Amino acid sequence: MTARLNFHRRVAGLAVLALLPASWFGAQFGGSASAWAETIRPSGGPKPVVREQILPRPRPRGVATTDEPEIGVDPIVPEVELPRGFRELARASGEPQIPGLAMVYLHPLGSPADAKQWRNIIVHQTEGPAGSAKSMALAQSKNPTKRGVTVWVETDGTVYWSTAETVIPTHGDGANRNDNKYLDNAKTYHAVIKTNSIGVEFVGNYPDVARPATREQARAWLLLVRFLQERYDIPAENIYAHNWIDYKDRRYCEGCDLAALARKLAYEPGKRVSGE
């Protein structure tokens, strides 16, 4: 009799659990409802189709954002003003230092007139952990034309200039996007390529590729991008996210927030800034 009663109790308990929402399991066992659903999903079924997203996916709940907050375009833009003498600094040779921007040169700059090939800027994000920008820049410096970029940006905003500005590293995928998903690709298709585009790589989106750039990286970028624009006479409309011109990782939009942030500045090279 007792065994039969216990059996019926277990059956009733399982029936109640089957009626509970997935969010209850996440609250009881830690993690999100989607994480619990993943653990009980039967194996052998078809894999879900991952669609390309325009914006990076939000961070999971419970992940602290105080150390590396997401980009806030409007709060950041007014904070980053150009220093006095910016135009002259941007066109200087050697190792010009812009106030407010920590720039480490692994190779000194020459004359911008010798680097006339740069007509575009491409924003990249790499699946490297925080603290990896220096080592990646050093590797690029030792083999300048390998796959990589000229400029690397650490999560704390430190910028590493890895190669001579006349060298062409291998980056981009040949501007193969022609679906007009983000912008008019008639102007970029097979046109915005490594030979005419200087690349800037932001590290730190490991292990989550959709992790946005840090606020320190965004602040550094707003000075760095205008430095590049002024030095090589690149208009704002020639700043591109890697995802805008190439078919890239479907899980997030590589470089999109940063490129949009730079374009919003609408900086005009050669135009005298306030205070000069």
Side-chain angles (χ1 to χ4, degrees):
M1 183 68 179
T2 301
R4 182 178 299 177
L5 180 59
N6 288 338
F7 172 77
H8 286 296
R9 286 175 177 173
R10 284 196 295 271
V11 171
L14 290 173
V16 171
L17 289 176
L19 295 174
L20 289 173
S23 58
W24 182 88
F25 291 96
Q28 298 300 315
F29 297 101
S32 64
S34 61
W36 174 259
E38 184 66 29
T39 62
I40 64 174
R41 183 179 298 150
S43 60
K47 294 183 178 179
V49 177
V50 181
R51 299 185 182 278
E52 192 171 47
Q53 302 176 17
I54 293 180
L55 295 175
R57 67 177 183 269
R59 297 188 188 189
R61 292 182 181 180
V63 176
T65 60
T66 54
D67 292 337
E68 296 181 345
E70 294 186 7
I71 292 175
V73 175
D74 292 330
I76 289 179
V77 172
E79 296 177 8
V80 186
E81 296 182 358
L82 294 179
R84 184 181 297 273
F86 173 78
R87 293 172 66 220
E88 287 71 23
L89 284 171
R91 295 172 181 172
S93 59
E95 300 183 2
Q97 294 296 331
I98 305 298
L101 182 64
M103 187 97 82
V104 178
Y105 291 92
L106 302 181
H107 197 292
L109 302 181
S111 169
D114 296 332
K116 294 180 179 179
Q117 73 271 23
W118 303 134
R119 299 195 298 274
N120 310 291
I121 300 170
I122 301 178
V123 186
H124 300 271
Q125 289 173 269
T126 186
E127 293 182 50
S132 62
K134 182 177 180 180
S135 61
M136 290 182 176
L138 284 169
Q140 191 76 48
S141 179
K142 293 176 182 178
N143 187 6
T145 60
K146 80 179 188 70
R147 189 167 183 85
V149 295
T150 304
V151 185
W152 302 77
V153 185
E154 186 51 73
T155 53
D156 65 359
T158 302
V159 176
Y160 295 89
W161 196 291
S162 65
T163 72
E165 59 187 329
T166 53
V167 170
I168 300 175
T170 301
H171 71 110
D173 297 302
N176 57 21
R177 182 180 284 279
N178 61 350
D179 59 358
N180 300 329
K181 182 173 183 177
Y182 302 102
L183 43 72
D184 182 4
N185 291 126
K187 300 178 180 179
T188 69
Y189 185 57
H190 292 171
V192 179
I193 54 180
K194 68 176 184 178
T195 54
N196 59 29
S197 307
I198 189 167
V200 182
E201 189 94 49
F202 291 80
V203 307
N205 62 344
Y206 174 86
D208 179 8
V209 295
R211 189 178 193 178
T214 66
R215 195 165 282 271
E216 290 77 14
Q217 284 176 318
R219 287 195 182 96
W221 170 236
L222 293 181
L223 285 173
L224 173 63
V225 69
R226 286 178 284 184
F227 177 89
L228 297 174
Q229 287 182 258
E230 186 65 48
R231 186 168 185 83
Y232 304 118
D233 195 25
I234 299 174
E237 60 267 25
N238 285 19
I239 301 169
Y240 300 98
H242 198 183
N243 246 82
W244 293 354
I245 62 170
D246 284 316
Y247 292 105
K248 290 297 299 174
D249 196 319
R250 293 171 180 261
R251 296 169 293 175
Y252 78 121
C253 191
E254 182 185 337
C256 296
D257 282 343
L258 291 164
L261 184 60
R263 283 194 173 199
K264 181 171 182 172
L265 292 174
Y267 181 74
E268 299 177 35
K271 185 176 181 179
R272 190 167 295 276
V273 298
S274 63
E276 291 189 327

